[in-house]
Amino acid sequence: MTTTVAGQTLTGAPLLEVEGVSKSFPGVKALSDMRLDLRRGEVLALVGENGAGKSTLMKLLSGIYTADAGQFRLNGRPFHATKPKQALELGISIIHQDFNLMPHLTVAQNIFIGREPSAGRFLLSERELNAKAKDLVARLQLPLNVKQLVGNLTVAKQQMVEIAKALSYDAKVLIMDEPTAALNYAEVATLHEVIRRFVREDTGVIYISHRIDELKAIADRITVIRDGKYVDTVDTQATSMKEVISMMVGRTLTSDARPEGVRSDREVLLSVRGLSTKSLLKDVSFELRKGEILGFAGLMGAGRTEVARALVGADKIDTGTIELRGKTVKIANPAVAAKHRIGYLSEDRKHFGLLLEQDVNANIALSSVSELSTKLGFVKDRALRAKSEEYVTSLKIKTPSINQTTKNLSGGNQQKVVMAKWLVKDCDILIFDEPTRGIDVGAKEEIYGLLNELAAQGKSIIMISSELPEVLRMSHRIVVMCEGRVTGLLDADEAAQENVMHYATLRPDENPADAPELGAEPPRPEAEPTPEQPGRGAGE
Amino acid sequence: MATLMATLKTSAQRLVTGGVSSAVKDRLQQSLAFASLIVIFAFFSFASPDFFTYSNITAILFSTVVIGTLALGTTFVIITGGIDLSIGTGMALCAVMSGVFIVNIRLPVGVGVLSAILFGGLIGLVNGFNVAVLKIPPFIATLAMMLVAQGLALVISHSTPIYFNDASGYVAISTGNLIPGVNFPNAVVILAVVAVVSAVLLKKTVLGRFAYSIGSNEEATALSGINVRKWKIIVYAFAGLFIGLAGVMISARLGSAQPATGMGYELQAIAAVVIGGTSLSGGKGSIVGTVIGALIISVLNNGLQITSIPQEWQNVILGGVILIAVYADIIRKRT
Ligand SMILES: Nc1ncnc2c1ncn2[C@@H]1O[C@H](COP(=O)(O)OP(=O)(O)OP(=O)(O)O)[C@@H](O)[C@H]1O
Ligand SMILES: [Mg+2]
């Protein structure tokens, strides 16, 4: 421990220290005797399973919750933030797991919300606001147009807005709670650049992530917590990620589930031809076989989510046909899709997945209520509860009971709840859009196992994911999309990260002759199929 | 010392939030409303000897019937995140239709009553169509319906009341006594039955489930394969049946259908729902709460009258009660 003299900062003192911190919620002990120290000029990764208490610790630091016990020190001085504003004034900025942006306001308005420069007493000066925002964005070298509406931005850009907002407070400590959960590799690299530029002599970053493979690229040290307790802190360079993972889950992860091959003579269950929408999709065609996991890869905005939404009738189809078991079907809305036993898990659990104010049971049961009710419309509550209990156990959803309000669950556990909702219902086709977003490594393995099991039972799965290793590992075949078109279709054994990236950036106007044919010879790289991590930049 | 304060603080929080789940919190809001009902009740009992008497209690219950009926139906609508402003004048229109069916067309009383209730359902159905299919915001759609219903009531009745003089059984629906000789009006019994049926529908059936889901997150509910459009229409139409029933109850009580009345009832009914802890943003609420809310309003109205507080003050006080009730709800959410 570093010693401090009252009122005076010792250069040896860490930037931020947490000691003996505990926090309980009704029925849950989220943190007990937690500690952590962040050195000057470092990026400290904080890892732990879903519900381990990472977000809770960060919310304590930033004054959103109040600790039951323990102490926080900034530059050796104890502090106690009881409101987010206090923490901000001390120089502690946090970017939350779920963004807190206003979609109908511009980038500039979002950055300076509540602190708008005024012209005269009551009028806001839009010009000054934009100028200030432009300055900030330029200083941080963020690729943002400050006058754009936030609702129209990609998730990656929204993430940048959050960063700009956090740093506009002259932050010394920047806390990022799963900033990369929704980003693809290129975007992760850009984010890491921004982080490196931020880290100076007197600043530091706490970086929470479940994407263990990216820690080598960004973190100096890694603090591991488990079940609300401190486990250890290690040097990134001196430690293998395998070790980190086993510290996290308390055992060695061995599972390496891979789907069994699907014979190509399997019955085609779904066939999509010439699907186009007004907004984005152009002539999208593909087939889904019985018992197949069909991966969808592509960059943000490639149109994968749009395909899913069009398939279940959430968005209008302009032209194109959907054939199900050899018959053309019209799917006007998700209710019709559900009748055809097609389920869609959205990438955005907060807005399109969860009833946050309802309990876990209501959420898991939601898609099967109609089936589990009597002719007169009485809900078979006991049966539904039994199902919910079953999935809470099998997916290891961390909650005191199925009566817990869903918004009180940790991010990863909320994601498991949405998964459970679709697993309860007996669908033939499951469309999973970013199914493992925010889910810890151990639970991911379990979900992969589950997907394989479903496929083995003859269910067909469309898996959209920005995590390329996941798509590569879990799919029988991979559809690659770029700007609303299908640009490639790869068999699992020929798919490697480089191939997929090639097709994902293949704009049709650049090479119209390169028709996406199954079995077409893609450029085969020499590199081994395991994805290579973006190396740590030299410019720090 | 600091830890002591912290302990005190958390235990105080526990006391306010009541502990574990949201269900407990909801019950707390109800018990808050219930406690206020008791307090108000006790206050008036002390303030006036005429308040706590059998005849006055029955009078209070009797006066709860119309607002209570309207509030029950509206609870469903508000739980979906919607609102229904047409219930007041819709009720007047249904009363007029009841007069048309029973007095003008001379349908048997039973058939006439049923038709009037179904007519209320029709009003709700149109509301539901406008909201769910045409996607007109509920506030606007039902505001328009409020005007349409008021106008139609006047047009159909030629702006004159319809008296149920010949239909003797009709008035008994409201003021008759189920048990002969015991002065306990049928209307109260009907309200109680309807409240129980509503509570069962809300808690135990698909209709109630989906009302809560739609109110919590409409998009997520739709993407879960639920036909949100259909269920919204059903909820509005269902709430419409209560408009019809309220029309029957009020005209039976008065012995006449008064076409120019109705305006203002919707706000009292919505106030009852809100005081009972149902959130105007949807996804939360209960029938017990609504019944308590309706009782608070009629106890207040009755008590203020009995203690000779001028009529003009009654709405001022009612407004204050709404503010306090909603603020209590906000505080509850914060902790
Ligand atoms: N407001 C709350 N009320 C009740 N319980 C809560 C609340 N916030 C968090 N918890 C509980 O505290 C525990 C820790 O949650 P926390 O959100 O800190 O986990 P996490 O490590 O961030 O997990 P994830 O990786 O899934 O985001 C969980 O069991 C969670 O259910
Ligand atoms: Mg978290």
Side-chain angles (χ1 to χ4, degrees):
Chain A
M1 271 303 105
T2 337
T3 43
T4 53
V5 182
Q8 197 186 323
T9 312
L10 296 185
T11 29
L15 182 57
L16 180 80
E17 290 165 281
V18 174
E19 206 183 303
V21 164
S22 300
K23 175 73 184 171
S24 295
F25 298 104
V28 186
K29 188 141 184 65
L31 290 171
S32 57
D33 198 20
M34 175 58 60
R35 67 195 141 95
L36 175 150
D37 66 307
L38 173 69
R39 296 177 187 159
R40 287 150 207 289
E42 84 167 340
V43 177
L44 176 72
L46 181 62
V47 300
E49 286 179 298
N50 293 133
K54 304 179 295 297
S55 299
T56 304
L57 181 58
M58 297 308 116
K59 285 178 184 165
L60 290 173
L61 272 172
S62 55
I64 293 166
Y65 297 151
T66 311
D68 299 341
Q71 207 184 41
F72 301 101
R73 282 191 295 271
L74 190 64
N75 287 318
R77 277 194 214 101
F79 73 95
H80 179 71
T82 49
K83 286 200 197 73
K85 194 157 183 264
Q86 281 177 345
L88 281 173
E89 279 160 4
L90 284 166
I92 301 174
S93 271
I94 179 165
I95 298 172
H96 289 285
Q97 198 163 357
D98 320 296
F99 299 161
N100 278 322
L101 297 172
M102 316 277 163
H104 303 295
L105 298 184
T106 66
V107 171
Q109 285 164 342
N110 264 289
I111 294 177
F112 290 107
I113 193 153
R115 298 171 294 156
E116 293 85 354
S118 54
R121 197 179 284 244
F122 294 111
L123 299 174
L124 299 178
S125 164
E126 194 72 24
R127 194 182 316 153
E128 201 182 321
L129 180 74
N130 286 336
K132 260 177 87 173
K134 221 168 156 179
D135 262 6
L136 179 73
V137 164
R139 192 152 48 82
L140 299 171
Q141 305 180 26
L142 298 175
L144 287 175
N145 173 358
V146 299
K147 288 183 193 164
Q148 248 188 323
L149 286 187
V150 161
N152 298 340
L153 299 179
T154 61
V155 187
K157 290 248 168 103
Q158 290 188 11
Q159 179 67 255
M160 309 249 159
V161 178
E162 280 281 11
I163 293 175
K165 187 172 154 191
L167 297 186
S168 70
Y169 284 92
D170 191 26
K172 294 286 179 255
V173 177
L174 179 61
I175 297 169
M176 306 177 104
D177 197 348
E178 296 190 34
T180 53
L183 306 189
N184 66 34
Y185 276 107
E187 292 159 339
V188 170
T190 320
L191 178 77
H192 285 178
E193 277 307 312
V194 175
I195 293 176
R196 278 186 211 107
R197 276 200 298 275
F198 168 73
V199 178
R200 294 275 146 67
E201 265 308 286
D202 60 341
T203 60
V205 174
I206 300 180
Y207 184 95
I208 299 177
S209 177
H210 285 299
R211 293 167 81 164
I212 303 293
D213 47 8
E214 75 188 21
L215 297 186
K216 271 253 186 284
I218 187 70
D220 297 292
R221 293 187 307 149
I222 303 173
T223 293
V224 183
I225 69 175
R226 188 167 71 229
D227 291 333
K229 295 190 193 76
Y230 178 86
V231 177
D232 202 1
T233 301
V234 295
D235 268 329
T236 315
Q237 298 312 330
T239 320
S240 79
M241 290 307 119
K242 267 223 167 69
E243 287 170 66
V244 173
I245 290 171
S246 43
M247 273 193 271
M248 246 176 86
V249 300
R251 66 196 146 88
T252 13
L253 272 188
T254 43
S255 154
D256 192 24
R258 260 178 182 281
E260 282 168 35
V262 160
R263 297 194 313 274
S264 50
D265 58 352
R266 281 263 177 105
E267 165 199 353
V268 171
L269 188 60
L270 177 83
S271 132
V272 174
R273 273 191 228 113
L275 188 74
S276 301
T277 63
K278 284 237 160 56
S279 53
L280 183 66
L281 302 182
K282 296 215 171 50
D283 197 24
V284 170
S285 306
F286 63 91
E287 285 179 345
L288 178 67
R289 299 202 184 104
K290 199 165 181 290
E292 177 180 43
I293 302 179
L294 184 66
F296 266 68
L299 301 179
M300 204 67 64
R304 296 164 301 162
T305 295
E306 283 74 7
V307 171
R309 288 182 59 94
L311 265 182
V312 297
D315 290 339
K316 270 222 163 55
I317 291 174
D318 208 20
T319 56
T321 55
I322 298 171
E323 253 177 41
L324 194 62
R325 296 182 192 89
K327 277 196 213 85
T328 306
V329 290
K330 273 245 162 350
I331 299 177
N333 57 51
V336 178
K339 283 218 181 71
H340 288 302
R341 304 200 156 280
I342 305 175
Y344 168 56
L345 178 144
S346 164
E347 60 176 338
D348 184 346
R349 63 171 172 259
K350 196 173 168 190
H351 294 112
F352 300 125
L354 288 170
L355 314 174
L356 280 170
E357 300 285 341
Q358 306 283 341
D359 61 21
V360 171
N361 176 49
N363 273 283
I364 298 184
L366 185 56
S367 67
S368 1
V369 168
S370 310
E371 283 146 42
L372 284 173
S373 56
T374 64
K375 278 224 172 64
L376 280 173
F378 282 89
V379 175
K380 291 181 184 158
D381 196 46
R382 205 166 305 151
L384 283 175
R385 289 184 159 270
K387 283 271 183 209
S388 298
E389 296 278 11
E390 182 188 326
Y391 280 93
V392 163
T393 313
S394 71
L395 291 183
K396 299 201 177 73
I397 298 176
K398 202 177 162 195
T399 174
S401 81
I402 58 169
N403 300 325
Q404 174 75 307
T405 311
T406 312
K407 72 165 182 222
N408 288 341
L409 263 55
S410 81
N413 284 300
Q414 290 180 4
Q415 183 69 23
K416 291 186 194 172
V417 169
V418 217
M419 281 289 287
K421 173 172 77 185
W422 285 113
L423 297 175
V424 169
K425 196 179 164 84
D426 187 27
C427 285
D428 294 337
I429 298 176
L430 283 164
I431 307 173
F432 285 145
D433 199 349
E434 308 286 355
T436 59
R437 175 172 287 181
I439 284 186
D440 70 51
V441 270
K444 256 184 204 169
E445 288 300 331
E446 276 153 30
I447 284 175
Y448 295 155
L450 229 129
L451 293 182
N452 281 336
E453 219 173 276
L454 290 172
Q457 285 166 20
K459 315 260 179 217
S460 308
I461 296 168
I462 290 178
M463 186 175 71
I464 303 171
S465 173
S466 297
E467 279 187 58
L468 213 37
E470 173 173 290
V471 181
L472 290 172
R473 175 174 151 189
M474 289 309 300
S475 318
H476 293 116
R477 291 182 305 153
I478 299 170
V479 174
V480 190
M481 290 188 68
C482 177
E483 296 184 349
R485 292 169 204 268
V486 172
T487 49
L489 180 58
L490 307 172
D491 261 338
D493 47 13
E494 61 174 345
Q497 188 167 9
E498 288 73 13
N499 290 347
V500 175
M501 286 321 281
H502 166 74
Y503 287 117
T505 51
L506 188 69
R507 292 197 172 73
D509 42 55
E510 279 170 16
N511 198 349
D514 203 345
E517 280 299 327
L518 179 58
E521 197 58 42
R524 292 220 72 134
E526 297 298 300
E528 48 183 334
T530 43
E532 222 175 305
Q533 302 313 314
R536 190 141 200 202
E540 32 166 358
Chain B
M1 189 63 206
T3 42
L4 180 70
M5 286 305 290
T7 332
L8 274 179
K9 205 168 157 195
T10 41
S11 34
Q13 260 174 11
R14 293 243 172 82
L15 211 65
V16 177
T17 53
V20 194
S21 66
S22 65
V24 176
K25 281 192 185 179
D26 285 347
R27 237 168 275 147
L28 184 89
Q29 170 76 10
Q30 275 163 30
S31 45
L32 263 182
F34 190 65
S36 345
L37 179 61
I38 301 289
V39 169
I40 297 170
F41 203 87
F43 174 78
F44 286 124
S45 303
F46 278 112
S48 164
D50 302 327
F51 183 79
F52 194 54
T53 61
Y54 181 79
S55 62
N56 194 49
I57 302 294
T58 358
I60 291 174
L61 292 176
F62 190 55
S63 68
T64 313
V65 169
V66 171
I67 302 275
T69 307
L70 290 175
L72 287 174
T74 314
T75 305
F76 285 81
V77 173
I78 293 182
I79 285 176
T80 65
I83 192 93
D84 192 345
L85 297 177
S86 67
I87 52 180
T89 59
M91 170 182 80
L93 177 57
C94 289
V96 167
M97 290 315 292
S98 183
V100 169
F101 293 140
I102 294 168
V103 178
N104 299 4
I105 313 182
R106 302 198 162 275
L107 291 177
V109 170
V111 180
V113 166
L114 201 65
S115 311
I117 293 176
L118 287 177
F119 191 84
L122 184 68
I123 297 177
L125 189 71
V126 175
N127 278 335
F129 179 85
N130 291 341
V131 169
V133 180
L134 304 186
K135 306 257 187 283
I136 301 172
F139 189 93
I140 311 288
T142 60
L143 180 74
M145 179 57 83
M146 169 170 135
L147 297 172
V148 169
Q150 187 185 38
L152 280 181
L154 292 170
V155 170
I156 292 171
S157 66
H158 306 292
S159 303
T160 47
I162 305 175
Y163 292 93
F164 293 89
N165 291 335
D166 301 335
S168 57
Y170 191 72
V171 176
I173 294 173
S174 172
T175 53
N177 297 318
L178 203 61
I179 310 164
V182 180
N183 178 25
F184 196 75
N186 286 342
V188 178
V189 179
I190 292 175
L191 177 66
V193 171
V194 173
V196 170
V197 170
S198 306
V200 171
L201 285 172
L202 187 60
K203 287 291 173 206
K204 305 269 180 219
T205 68
V206 195
L207 175 77
R209 279 285 177 128
F210 291 159
Y212 281 113
S213 309
I214 292 171
S216 306
N217 189 340
E218 192 173 325
E219 298 267 11
T221 307
L223 284 175
S224 299
I226 285 131
N227 194 336
V228 167
R229 194 193 274 192
K230 175 178 106 185
W231 283 102
K232 268 191 176 173
I233 295 176
I234 291 177
V235 166
Y236 277 89
F238 173 73
L241 299 176
F242 291 75
I243 303 179
L245 180 63
V248 170
M249 300 309 286
I250 197 169
S251 55
R253 184 172 89 196
L254 301 172
S256 63
Q258 300 286 344
T261 58
M263 196 78 94
Y265 278 84
E266 67 284 336
L267 296 182
Q268 298 235 347
I270 292 167
V273 176
V274 170
I275 291 173
T278 297
S279 153
L280 276 183
S281 45
K284 261 197 195 114
S286 72
I287 294 297
V288 183
T290 294
V291 170
I292 295 172
L295 282 173
I296 287 183
I297 290 180
S298 39
V299 167
L300 269 180
N301 283 339
N302 176 286
L304 294 172
Q305 247 162 29
I306 271 189
T307 49
S308 324
I309 290 171
Q311 178 95 52
E312 297 76 16
W313 281 100
Q314 292 177 15
N315 275 346
V316 177
I317 292 170
L318 185 58
V321 168
I322 294 174
L323 284 180
I324 292 168
V326 176
Y327 184 61
D329 188 44
I330 291 171
I331 290 187
R332 174 185 69 109
K333 263 190 217 132
R334 221 183 269 157
T335 46

